[in-house]
PDB file of all heavy atoms in Angstrom:
ATOM      1  N   HIS R 484     -62.867 -50.389  78.455  1.00  0.00           N
ATOM      2  CA  HIS R 484     -62.699 -49.791  79.791  1.00  0.00           C
ATOM      3  C   HIS R 484     -61.318 -49.259  80.047  1.00  0.00           C
ATOM      4  O   HIS R 484     -61.133 -48.511  81.071  1.00  0.00           O
ATOM      5  CB  HIS R 484     -63.103 -50.846  80.873  1.00  0.00           C
ATOM      6  CG  HIS R 484     -63.761 -50.243  82.061  1.00  0.00           C
ATOM      7  ND1 HIS R 484     -64.574 -50.948  82.938  1.00  0.00           N
ATOM      8  CD2 HIS R 484     -63.799 -48.957  82.553  1.00  0.00           C
ATOM      9  CE1 HIS R 484     -65.028 -50.153  83.862  1.00  0.00           C
ATOM     10  NE2 HIS R 484     -64.544 -48.934  83.660  1.00  0.00           N
ATOM     11  N   HIS R 506     -67.490 -47.512  90.806  1.00  0.00           N
ATOM     12  CA  HIS R 506     -67.240 -48.290  89.619  1.00  0.00           C
ATOM     13  C   HIS R 506     -68.273 -49.424  89.539  1.00  0.00           C
ATOM     14  O   HIS R 506     -68.282 -50.337  90.384  1.00  0.00           O
ATOM     15  CB  HIS R 506     -65.816 -48.839  89.739  1.00  0.00           C
ATOM     16  CG  HIS R 506     -65.461 -49.923  88.744  1.00  0.00           C
ATOM     17  ND1 HIS R 506     -64.755 -51.036  89.118  1.00  0.00           N
ATOM     18  CD2 HIS R 506     -65.762 -50.045  87.440  1.00  0.00           C
ATOM     19  CE1 HIS R 506     -64.606 -51.852  88.032  1.00  0.00           C
ATOM     20  NE2 HIS R 506     -65.233 -51.257  87.027  1.00  0.00           N
ATOM     21  N   PHE R 507     -69.209 -49.323  88.610  1.00  0.00           N
ATOM     22  CA  PHE R 507     -70.216 -50.405  88.370  1.00  0.00           C
ATOM     23  C   PHE R 507     -69.615 -51.384  87.343  1.00  0.00           C
ATOM     24  O   PHE R 507     -69.311 -50.982  86.217  1.00  0.00           O
ATOM     25  CB  PHE R 507     -71.501 -49.780  87.807  1.00  0.00           C
ATOM     26  CG  PHE R 507     -72.331 -48.962  88.807  1.00  0.00           C
ATOM     27  CD1 PHE R 507     -71.980 -47.644  89.073  1.00  0.00           C
ATOM     28  CD2 PHE R 507     -73.376 -49.558  89.453  1.00  0.00           C
ATOM     29  CE1 PHE R 507     -72.725 -46.922  90.000  1.00  0.00           C
ATOM     30  CE2 PHE R 507     -74.162 -48.809  90.333  1.00  0.00           C
ATOM     31  CZ  PHE R 507     -73.832 -47.530  90.589  1.00  0.00           C
ATOM     32  N   ASP R 508     -69.517 -52.617  87.734  1.00  0.00           N
ATOM     33  CA  ASP R 508     -68.897 -53.599  86.845  1.00  0.00           C
ATOM     34  C   ASP R 508     -69.134 -54.985  87.419  1.00  0.00           C
ATOM     35  O   ASP R 508     -69.279 -55.168  88.654  1.00  0.00           O
ATOM     36  CB  ASP R 508     -67.370 -53.265  86.832  1.00  0.00           C
ATOM     37  CG  ASP R 508     -66.645 -53.847  85.548  1.00  0.00           C
ATOM     38  OD1 ASP R 508     -66.934 -54.994  85.177  1.00  0.00           O
ATOM     39  OD2 ASP R 508     -65.797 -53.121  85.067  1.00  0.00           O
ATOM     40  N   ALA R 509     -69.104 -56.019  86.556  1.00  0.00           N
ATOM     41  CA  ALA R 509     -69.112 -57.392  87.032  1.00  0.00           C
ATOM     42  C   ALA R 509     -67.736 -57.757  87.574  1.00  0.00           C
ATOM     43  O   ALA R 509     -67.591 -58.713  88.371  1.00  0.00           O
ATOM     44  CB  ALA R 509     -69.539 -58.335  85.950  1.00  0.00           C
ATOM     45  N   HIS R 510     -66.670 -57.052  87.138  1.00  0.00           N
ATOM     46  CA  HIS R 510     -65.338 -57.392  87.382  1.00  0.00           C
ATOM     47  C   HIS R 510     -64.588 -56.246  88.151  1.00  0.00           C
ATOM     48  O   HIS R 510     -64.981 -55.093  88.003  1.00  0.00           O
ATOM     49  CB  HIS R 510     -64.591 -57.686  86.134  1.00  0.00           C
ATOM     50  CG  HIS R 510     -65.312 -58.546  85.117  1.00  0.00           C
ATOM     51  ND1 HIS R 510     -66.144 -58.007  84.150  1.00  0.00           N
ATOM     52  CD2 HIS R 510     -65.440 -59.856  85.024  1.00  0.00           C
ATOM     53  CE1 HIS R 510     -66.703 -59.026  83.479  1.00  0.00           C
ATOM     54  NE2 HIS R 510     -66.300 -60.092  84.009  1.00  0.00           N
ATOM     55  N   LEU R 511     -63.543 -56.572  88.890  1.00  0.00           N
ATOM     56  CA  LEU R 511     -62.842 -55.584  89.697  1.00  0.00           C
ATOM     57  C   LEU R 511     -62.009 -54.651  88.828  1.00  0.00           C
ATOM     58  O   LEU R 511     -61.878 -53.459  89.148  1.00  0.00           O
ATOM     59  CB  LEU R 511     -61.882 -56.289  90.640  1.00  0.00           C
ATOM     60  CG  LEU R 511     -62.556 -57.232  91.647  1.00  0.00           C
ATOM     61  CD1 LEU R 511     -61.502 -58.057  92.396  1.00  0.00           C
ATOM     62  CD2 LEU R 511     -63.359 -56.407  92.656  1.00  0.00           C
ATOM     63  N   ASP R 512     -61.442 -55.118  87.731  1.00  0.00           N
ATOM     64  CA  ASP R 512     -60.566 -54.299  86.842  1.00  0.00           C
ATOM     65  C   ASP R 512     -59.367 -53.760  87.580  1.00  0.00           C
ATOM     66  O   ASP R 512     -58.902 -52.654  87.198  1.00  0.00           O
ATOM     67  CB  ASP R 512     -61.376 -53.161  86.165  1.00  0.00           C
ATOM     68  CG  ASP R 512     -62.351 -53.682  85.110  1.00  0.00           C
ATOM     69  OD1 ASP R 512     -62.432 -54.940  84.936  1.00  0.00           O
ATOM     70  OD2 ASP R 512     -63.003 -52.849  84.469  1.00  0.00           O
ATOM     71  N   HIS R 524     -58.419 -53.498  79.421  1.00  0.00           N
ATOM     72  CA  HIS R 524     -59.728 -53.249  80.062  1.00  0.00           C
ATOM     73  C   HIS R 524     -59.920 -54.029  81.378  1.00  0.00           C
ATOM     74  O   HIS R 524     -60.917 -53.855  82.011  1.00  0.00           O
ATOM     75  CB  HIS R 524     -60.901 -53.506  79.055  1.00  0.00           C
ATOM     76  CG  HIS R 524     -61.152 -54.919  78.755  1.00  0.00           C
ATOM     77  ND1 HIS R 524     -62.305 -55.393  78.248  1.00  0.00           N
ATOM     78  CD2 HIS R 524     -60.326 -56.045  78.866  1.00  0.00           C
ATOM     79  CE1 HIS R 524     -62.275 -56.686  78.060  1.00  0.00           C
ATOM     80  NE2 HIS R 524     -61.033 -57.078  78.425  1.00  0.00           N
ATOM     81  N   GLY R 525     -58.890 -54.751  81.788  1.00  0.00           N
ATOM     82  CA  GLY R 525     -58.928 -55.460  83.074  1.00  0.00           C
ATOM     83  C   GLY R 525     -58.027 -54.805  84.123  1.00  0.00           C
ATOM     84  O   GLY R 525     -57.928 -55.335  85.267  1.00  0.00           O
ATOM     85  N   PRO R 527     -57.439 -50.919  84.414  1.00  0.00           N
ATOM     86  CA  PRO R 527     -57.373 -49.475  84.523  1.00  0.00           C
ATOM     87  C   PRO R 527     -57.244 -48.958  85.919  1.00  0.00           C
ATOM     88  O   PRO R 527     -56.571 -47.926  86.203  1.00  0.00           O
ATOM     89  CB  PRO R 527     -58.721 -48.990  83.860  1.00  0.00           C
ATOM     90  CG  PRO R 527     -59.622 -50.183  84.014  1.00  0.00           C
ATOM     91  CD  PRO R 527     -58.727 -51.368  83.831  1.00  0.00           C
ATOM     92  N   PHE R 528     -57.906 -49.627  86.915  1.00  0.00           N
ATOM     93  CA  PHE R 528     -57.914 -49.081  88.241  1.00  0.00           C
ATOM     94  C   PHE R 528     -56.647 -49.429  89.046  1.00  0.00           C
ATOM     95  O   PHE R 528     -56.343 -48.785  90.063  1.00  0.00           O
ATOM     96  CB  PHE R 528     -59.237 -49.418  88.970  1.00  0.00           C
ATOM     97  CG  PHE R 528     -60.396 -48.963  88.165  1.00  0.00           C
ATOM     98  CD1 PHE R 528     -61.359 -49.814  87.677  1.00  0.00           C
ATOM     99  CD2 PHE R 528     -60.502 -47.620  87.800  1.00  0.00           C
ATOM    100  CE1 PHE R 528     -62.418 -49.381  86.926  1.00  0.00           C
ATOM    101  CE2 PHE R 528     -61.534 -47.142  87.010  1.00  0.00           C
ATOM    102  CZ  PHE R 528     -62.491 -48.039  86.564  1.00  0.00           C
ATOM    103  N   ASP R 599     -69.319 -49.945  83.596  1.00  0.00           N
ATOM    104  CA  ASP R 599     -69.099 -50.978  82.615  1.00  0.00           C
ATOM    105  C   ASP R 599     -70.464 -51.625  82.347  1.00  0.00           C
ATOM    106  O   ASP R 599     -71.096 -52.135  83.247  1.00  0.00           O
ATOM    107  CB  ASP R 599     -68.118 -51.981  83.155  1.00  0.00           C
ATOM    108  CG  ASP R 599     -67.652 -53.044  82.166  1.00  0.00           C
ATOM    109  OD1 ASP R 599     -68.489 -53.486  81.340  1.00  0.00           O
ATOM    110  OD2 ASP R 599     -66.510 -53.413  82.199  1.00  0.00           O
ATOM    111  N   ASP R 601     -71.229 -54.345  81.397  1.00  0.00           N
ATOM    112  CA  ASP R 601     -71.399 -55.775  81.786  1.00  0.00           C
ATOM    113  C   ASP R 601     -71.806 -55.940  83.243  1.00  0.00           C
ATOM    114  O   ASP R 601     -71.964 -57.062  83.726  1.00  0.00           O
ATOM    115  CB  ASP R 601     -70.139 -56.610  81.458  1.00  0.00           C
ATOM    116  CG  ASP R 601     -68.924 -56.297  82.366  1.00  0.00           C
ATOM    117  OD1 ASP R 601     -69.039 -55.847  83.447  1.00  0.00           O
ATOM    118  OD2 ASP R 601     -67.786 -56.567  81.882  1.00  0.00           O
ATOM    119  N   THR R 613     -67.252 -59.462  77.848  1.00  0.00           N
ATOM    120  CA  THR R 613     -67.066 -60.403  78.988  1.00  0.00           C
ATOM    121  C   THR R 613     -68.358 -60.516  79.792  1.00  0.00           C
ATOM    122  O   THR R 613     -68.411 -60.112  80.924  1.00  0.00           O
ATOM    123  CB  THR R 613     -65.890 -60.021  79.877  1.00  0.00           C
ATOM    124  OG1 THR R 613     -66.062 -58.677  80.277  1.00  0.00           O
ATOM    125  CG2 THR R 613     -64.565 -60.207  79.150  1.00  0.00           C
ATOM    126  N   VAL R 642     -69.015 -47.751  79.375  1.00  0.00           N
ATOM    127  CA  VAL R 642     -68.074 -48.408  78.515  1.00  0.00           C
ATOM    128  C   VAL R 642     -68.416 -49.894  78.271  1.00  0.00           C
ATOM    129  O   VAL R 642     -69.269 -50.417  78.890  1.00  0.00           O
ATOM    130  CB  VAL R 642     -66.576 -48.297  79.068  1.00  0.00           C
ATOM    131  CG1 VAL R 642     -66.164 -46.830  79.112  1.00  0.00           C
ATOM    132  CG2 VAL R 642     -66.543 -48.933  80.458  1.00  0.00           C
ATOM    133  N   GLU R 643     -67.631 -50.464  77.316  1.00  0.00           N
ATOM    134  CA  GLU R 643     -67.686 -51.917  77.061  1.00  0.00           C
ATOM    135  C   GLU R 643     -68.914 -52.277  76.231  1.00  0.00           C
ATOM    136  O   GLU R 643     -69.241 -53.532  76.171  1.00  0.00           O
ATOM    137  CB  GLU R 643     -67.529 -52.756  78.287  1.00  0.00           C
ATOM    138  CG  GLU R 643     -66.146 -52.611  79.004  1.00  0.00           C
ATOM    139  CD  GLU R 643     -65.034 -53.277  78.269  1.00  0.00           C
ATOM    140  OE1 GLU R 643     -65.240 -54.356  77.623  1.00  0.00           O
ATOM    141  OE2 GLU R 643     -63.904 -52.738  78.269  1.00  0.00           O
TER     142      GLU R 643
HETATM  143 MN1   MN A1747     -64.735 -53.270  83.214  1.00  0.00          MN
END
Side-chain angles (χ1 to χ4, degrees):
H484 215 159
H506 168 222
F507 288 82
D508 203 318
H510 315 93
L511 299 169
D512 289 3
H524 71 160
F528 303 121
D599 187 321
D601 73 26
T613 52
V642 295
E643 296 286 325

